[in-house]
Amino acid sequence: MARRELSETTRAALVEAAIAEFAAHGFDGASTRSIAARAGVHQPQINYHFESKADLWGAALDHLFAELSAELTGAALSADGDLEVLRNSIRTVVRHAAKRPELNRMMVKESSVVSERLTWLTEQHVRSLFDIHSALWNRLRVKGQVADLDVLTAFYVLIGGSTLLYSNSPEARLLSGDDPMDPTRIEAHADAMVALLTRSTPVAATRHHTTRTTT
Amino acid sequence: MARRELSETTRAALVEAAIAEFAAHGFDGASTRSIAARAGVHQPQINYHFESKADLWGAALDHLFAELSAELTGAALSADGDLEVLRNSIRTVVRHAAKRPELNRMMVKESSVVSERLTWLTEQHVRSLFDIHSALWNRLRVKGQVADLDVLTAFYVLIGGSTLLYSNSPEARLLSGDDPMDPTRIEAHADAMVALLTRSTPVAATRHHTTRTTT
DNA sequence: GTCTATAATTAGATAGAC
DNA sequence: GTCTATCTAATTATAGAC
């Protein structure tokens, strides 16, 4: 393997190890030694490939949000009309939370206090998703096709209701003995979140447009 | 002030300071020095009043869960019938999440990986709440009075949908400029969570029993 | 690009005076 | 019960050989 390829391999291994360690123990709880050990390299490699521990943390989130954005874009492109876009997006959020619980684990650990890391995270990655959600939700709300919730509350009900079961899956397993990551359960959860937040038929007025219904 | 009273004052101040620091920075991120400083005492006082940092962390959660249990008990006692108990409980969960976001912040930081702290927390405090929820939810589900969700998923949709807006309120404020803790918004959120998870009229069969409806 | 060795901080906990 | 002073261990980051 050429030197540049080796470098990129090491860098990618460090990012993946950082995702696992930061998600499990938080920024302060994860040590650069444990991250390096998980990646199979020595600790000073982190400061060779990244400016600092905080820089590696940022690279981990860049990677996780790139994955999520790719899936959400796919969900939007394959949909026809606002309502179907929202439904596909909700399903994508649920499925992705189960596939990559690390994303929500990292998020929730940083979102409880204003900090440099939180402002970076919010402006760099969350803002654009929230803006897209807001425009979509407001258009559907005036047509009575979604639950009667303001955009901010709707955003957090959607994310919280869709992701906590997976970000807290170790707790859920202790409580119930069941596996939250079971594919059948995940699909039922996705269906339920769609049913809770959207209405197949508008409640307030306007039926002139033909509205796609799922059943 | 007598010596014993002084001691109890110091202990209570340490618990309250620990709640603030652990909720904001997690177990590893919060230092015993910062907790002592917030409580207005010197750092070694922690090891006089508590066996260890972990012991203080446990005392903080004991305090937070005692508060929550008191409110949930009140909500259940003032209700008539399973459906009203559930509705009151949902509203209590939303209001309490807004009043004490520290509880959910501490919880979510410990629930992403199996650890000694998580197993203690689950068995000591979460288990009983989950068992009560399970019995209640299953009785209502067979009568078609709640959303069609298994108990485990329902628990996490309820908690996640009710609490994330408040545990992540710094992020929510950055995103929207609005105040998630506004009382009117909180009540609207509570109403919405009740509407999402319960049905005023049963969908599947059985109407022989008179069912209390709100409005 | 990766290694060993180590510098510079900071952490939780304890000893002993008052 | 509370204080000052300090011990031991662990942390992030860097220096310099290969």
Side-chain angles (χ1 to χ4, degrees):
Chain A
M1 189 152 30
R3 191 165 281 189
R4 191 162 61 204
E5 288 168 13
L6 222 175
S7 176
E8 278 164 15
T9 302
T10 300
R11 200 195 130 96
L14 281 170
V15 168
E16 202 57 46
I19 288 171
E21 291 290 318
F22 284 133
H25 305 110
F27 183 82
D28 294 292
S31 72
T32 55
R33 279 176 168 78
S34 63
I35 294 169
R38 183 186 280 264
V41 303
H42 290 90
Q43 186 249 352
Q45 294 284 73
I46 286 175
N47 290 92
Y48 177 79
H49 290 278
F50 303 91
E51 273 198 359
S52 64
K53 182 184 180 180
D55 186 38
L56 172 57
W57 176 87
L61 275 170
D62 288 346
H63 187 87
L64 287 170
F65 270 99
E67 289 177 348
L68 175 63
S69 295
E71 296 205 18
L72 283 173
T73 302
L77 288 178
S78 68
D80 182 15
D82 279 347
L83 187 57
E84 200 179 327
V85 168
L86 180 66
R87 285 181 170 144
N88 281 6
S89 300
I90 294 171
R91 290 204 165 85
T92 300
V93 167
V94 173
R95 292 185 190 124
H96 191 72
K99 188 160 63 171
R100 268 298 206 189
E102 294 90 351
L103 172 59
N104 293 293
R105 286 171 188 162
M106 285 188 71
M107 292 283 302
V108 86
K109 289 187 170 76
E110 295 298 331
S111 303
S112 40
V113 69
V114 177
S115 69
E116 207 175 320
R117 286 201 299 276
L118 178 61
T119 52
W120 176 87
L121 173 56
T122 304
E123 298 308 326
Q124 194 75 16
H125 292 300
V126 187
R127 169 80 59 206
S128 59
L129 296 176
F130 179 71
D131 287 347
I132 292 170
H133 156 84
S134 296
L136 184 61
W137 186 266
N138 279 331
R139 283 200 302 274
L140 287 164
R141 194 180 178 203
V142 297
K143 292 200 275 179
Q145 294 186 312
V146 292
D148 190 31
L149 280 168
D150 68 274
V151 279
L152 184 66
T153 308
F155 187 70
Y156 282 92
V157 169
L158 164 54
I159 305 291
S162 298
T163 67
L164 192 70
L165 176 59
Y166 310 105
S167 56
N168 281 18
S169 56
E171 182 196 59
R173 253 182 280 261
L174 284 177
L175 275 179
S176 70
D178 294 350
D179 179 18
M181 305 308 196
D182 175 78
T184 309
R185 183 190 289 271
I186 294 167
E187 287 309 304
H189 184 191
D191 289 345
M193 290 308 301
V194 169
L196 292 178
L197 293 169
T198 73
R199 305 182 203 280
S200 38
T201 49
V203 286
T206 65
R207 289 234 195 173
H208 352 288
H209 301 87
T210 43
T211 331
R212 291 177 152 268
T213 52
T214 38
T215 49
Chain B
M1 190 153 26
R3 191 165 282 189
R4 192 163 60 203
E5 289 167 11
L6 222 177
S7 176
E8 279 165 15
T9 302
T10 299
R11 200 196 129 97
L14 280 171
V15 168
E16 203 56 47
I19 287 171
E21 291 290 317
F22 284 134
H25 305 110
F27 183 82
D28 295 291
S31 73
T32 55
R33 281 177 168 79
S34 63
I35 294 169
R38 184 186 280 264
V41 303
H42 290 90
Q43 186 249 351
Q45 294 283 74
I46 287 176
N47 290 92
Y48 177 78
H49 290 277
F50 303 91
E51 274 199 359
S52 64
K53 182 185 180 180
D55 186 37
L56 172 56
W57 176 88
L61 276 170
D62 288 345
H63 187 87
L64 287 171
F65 270 98
E67 290 178 347
L68 175 63
S69 295
E71 296 206 17
L72 282 173
T73 302
L77 288 178
S78 69
D80 182 15
D82 280 346
L83 186 58
E84 199 178 327
V85 169
L86 180 65
R87 284 180 170 145
N88 281 7
S89 300
I90 294 172
R91 290 204 166 84
T92 301
V93 168
V94 173
R95 292 184 191 124
H96 191 72
K99 189 161 62 170
R100 268 297 206 190
E102 295 89 352
L103 172 59
N104 294 292
R105 287 171 188 161
M106 285 188 69
M107 292 283 302
V108 84
K109 288 187 171 75
E110 295 297 331
S111 303
S112 41
V113 69
V114 177
S115 69
E116 207 174 320
R117 287 200 299 276
L118 178 60
T119 52
W120 176 87
L121 173 55
T122 304
E123 297 309 325
Q124 194 75 17
H125 292 301
V126 188
R127 168 80 59 206
S128 59
L129 296 177
F130 180 71
D131 286 347
I132 292 170
H133 156 83
S134 296
L136 185 60
W137 186 265
N138 279 331
R139 284 199 301 273
L140 287 165
R141 194 180 176 204
V142 297
K143 292 198 276 178
Q145 294 185 314
V146 292
D148 189 30
L149 280 168
D150 67 274
V151 279
L152 183 67
T153 308
F155 187 70
Y156 282 94
V157 168
L158 165 54
I159 305 292
S162 298
T163 66
L164 192 69
L165 176 59
Y166 311 105
S167 56
N168 282 18
S169 56
E171 182 196 58
R173 252 183 281 259
L174 284 177
L175 275 180
S176 69
D178 293 351
D179 179 17
M181 306 307 197
D182 175 78
T184 309
R185 182 190 290 271
I186 294 167
E187 286 309 305
H189 184 190
D191 290 344
M193 290 308 300
V194 169
L196 292 178
L197 292 169
T198 72
R199 308 182 204 279
S200 36
T201 49
V203 286
T206 65
R207 288 234 195 174
H208 353 287
H209 301 88
T210 43
T211 331
R212 290 180 153 264
T213 52
T214 40
T215 53

